Amino acid sequence: GIEILQPRPDVPALDRLVVAFRIVGVPARELAEAVIEVDGRPFATLHEPPFVTSGPVEIRTESHRIAITARLRDGRLLTATARTAPLAIDEAIDVRLVDLAVSVVDGNGAPVLGLDRQAFTVRDEGRMVDLERFSSETRGLDVMLVLDASESMKGERIARARAAAARFVRALEDRDRVGLVTFHEQVDTLEPPTADRGRVLGLIEGVRARGGTALYDALVQSSRTFGRTTGGRRRIALVLSDGRDAARTRWRQASEHSLDDAIRAAHRADVIVYTIGLGASLEHEQSIVDSQSTADVLRRVAHSTGGRFRHLEHVVDLDRTFALILADARHLYSLAFRPRPARRGGTWRRIEVSVDRPGVRVRAREGYFAPPADGDAPNPR
């Protein structure tokens, strides 16, 4: 049959819907095609795993109906339906707010706590904006663990990565959810954020290393798996990789998507990406398609989305690094402002955040895609 993973029945959809499912009891290779309809209209057609897709939907208060029909190669049909939760009025009011998660640390890298709204200044393309929301309270997390399971991770690296990831999952709070993406030459596992820790721990235990490194595809798919609303939880992707995006042959890129696609997908989904680069050669190993090193790539993704990049030469440091990332994600200030509508939806705007406190370092995402002006068609994500 078909098990629908997203959307969840208790979560409403706003302007965008993510649909993810798995085929149960039938090998995925037996699938000819899966047709997805939303509210009786065509939404997407998929032919191979991972079975996840996303797209814009009409903003409305009533629920959306999702219908999936999978046709197998022997002619059999599998069907499944689901509904999103109705949209509450107060959720619709804040559709166009730009949310910022801001890290403020001192010279030693320790979080600076106790700042108030007046300490922060936010500029949108150089123009100061008024904050509509501010909070210094810790929030629950929706975390996607994105683990490299390529050939180069074999042996001690994958074993320690599994163990560190499992300890990270166990360290999460009850209010958090966690999902898992693993990748080699393709995206292998795709489990949306869930409260079922046992399921995620079981998937982690089964991770095996093989093949190439489809890093960019994994980043895009993990971002698309987040729903537009998360019950107030902050969206985090924690990425571990030990090499450049490359097929097993090492002479071509494994991913269909580019690095820019991966960064754009994270911004679209309001995901903060923390990256861990493993290995001594990351600063020197160049990307197949340009002159950036693997460390440059991982650093760029993290910096653009407001996360942090950590370079580890030894796999034994993973536990401490996972713990530091979790602590950092907990101690972020939450800010939100209402942007000026763009003449064309999807226009990129740069954000600058500063704090009226000497000797501190401020980290936030670089920008956002502006919403369209009223009456304009929404920009597809």
Side-chain angles (χ1 to χ4, degrees):
I2 299 174
E3 180 185 358
I4 297 180
L5 305 173
Q6 281 192 268
R8 300 180 185 278
D10 58 337
V11 177
L14 296 181
D15 59 339
R16 185 172 184 78
L17 182 67
V18 177
V19 178
F21 63 93
R22 65 166 60 94
I23 305 295
V24 181
V26 179
R29 64 178 178 274
E30 296 299 320
L31 178 75
E33 66 175 10
V35 177
I36 304 170
E37 293 185 343
V38 175
D39 302 325
R41 298 178 180 178
F43 188 74
T45 300
L46 303 178
H47 297 90
E48 59 185 6
F51 299 119
V52 59
T53 187
S54 64
V57 292
E58 176 189 2
I59 300 173
R60 63 185 197 179
T61 55
E62 60 266 33
S63 62
H64 293 279
R65 183 180 186 274
I66 296 87
I68 302 174
T69 302
R71 180 172 60 85
L72 303 183
R73 298 190 185 281
D74 61 9
R76 287 181 295 161
L77 297 179
L78 306 176
T79 62
T81 61
R83 283 188 177 275
T84 64
L87 180 64
I89 296 300
D90 60 339
E91 290 175 297
I93 292 173
D94 290 332
V95 167
R96 294 178 182 235
L97 288 184
V98 175
D99 290 303
L100 298 176
V102 182
S103 168
V104 184
V105 298
D106 62 21
N108 297 317
V112 176
L113 307 178
L115 298 175
D116 58 19
R117 180 192 296 251
Q118 285 68 38
F120 290 83
T121 299
V122 178
R123 289 182 171 83
D124 178 354
E125 288 292 336
R127 178 183 297 186
M128 192 179 302
V129 298
D130 294 326
L131 298 181
E132 296 219 3
R133 286 205 307 251
F134 172 85
S135 176
S136 59
E137 296 180 358
T138 62
R139 292 168 59 178
L141 303 176
D142 265 5
V143 183
M144 286 296 292
L145 287 171
V146 185
L147 303 182
D148 186 340
S150 61
E151 185 81 17
S152 57
M153 287 287 291
K154 271 191 172 181
E156 183 186 16
R157 283 189 176 182
I158 198 66
R160 287 190 177 271
R162 286 197 304 262
R167 282 188 282 270
F168 176 89
V169 170
R170 295 189 181 99
L172 294 172
E173 300 176 0
D174 290 342
R175 60 179 174 169
D176 302 328
R177 300 189 306 184
V178 62
L180 178 68
V181 169
T182 63
F183 62 97
H184 43 88
E185 197 131 343
Q186 63 184 20
V187 179
D188 192 23
T189 304
L190 187 65
E191 178 71 20
T194 175
D196 187 350
R197 309 287 169 78
R199 173 169 180 76
V200 175
L201 289 170
L203 291 171
I204 291 172
E205 181 62 29
V207 175
R208 297 293 181 268
R210 63 192 188 279
T213 310
L215 173 62
Y216 304 150
D217 283 353
L219 288 169
V220 169
Q221 296 286 12
S222 62
S223 292
R224 289 178 176 175
T225 305
F226 286 94
R228 187 64 182 89
T229 58
T230 58
R233 289 177 293 272
R234 181 170 286 128
R235 291 175 284 268
I236 301 292
L238 198 168
V239 182
L240 170 66
S241 184
D242 75 339
R244 64 184 178 178
D245 193 306
R248 190 170 188 174
T249 59
R250 311 304 295 173
W251 59 266
R252 66 175 178 85
Q253 183 175 292
S255 291
E256 295 182 3
H257 295 92
S258 67
L259 174 59
D260 286 342
D261 291 335
I263 294 173
R264 188 178 297 111
H267 279 289
R268 295 289 192 194
D270 290 343
V271 177
I272 306 167
V273 184
Y274 290 84
T275 56
I276 302 172
L278 189 60
S281 63
L282 296 190
E283 295 287 358
H284 310 291
E285 178 187 60
Q286 285 194 343
S287 166
I288 289 176
V289 297
D290 57 39
S291 60
Q292 294 184 93
S293 70
T294 302
D296 290 335
V297 166
L298 296 174
R299 189 180 291 113
R300 180 181 168 196
V301 174
H303 179 76
S304 181
T305 61
R308 296 184 68 177
F309 165 65
R310 294 182 178 275
H311 184 184
L312 304 183
E313 292 195 7
H314 305 291
V315 71
V316 294
D317 297 326
L318 270 178
D319 276 317
R320 179 174 179 272
T321 302
F322 274 34
L324 289 172
I325 288 173
L326 181 57
D328 187 271
R330 290 279 185 220
H331 296 99
L332 298 175
Y333 291 90
S334 297
L335 287 64
F337 68 91
R338 192 172 301 280
R340 293 173 291 109
R343 292 184 178 179
R344 293 184 59 190
T347 300
W348 176 256
R349 289 179 176 168
R350 185 165 292 277
I351 298 172
E352 298 173 61
V353 182
S354 58
V355 171
D356 185 18
R357 179 72 66 89
V360 302
R361 288 176 290 164
V362 181
R363 191 180 73 249
R365 70 189 206 185
E366 291 182 323
Y368 69 101
F369 290 95
D374 291 339
D376 289 351
N379 188 63
R381 299 188 187 188

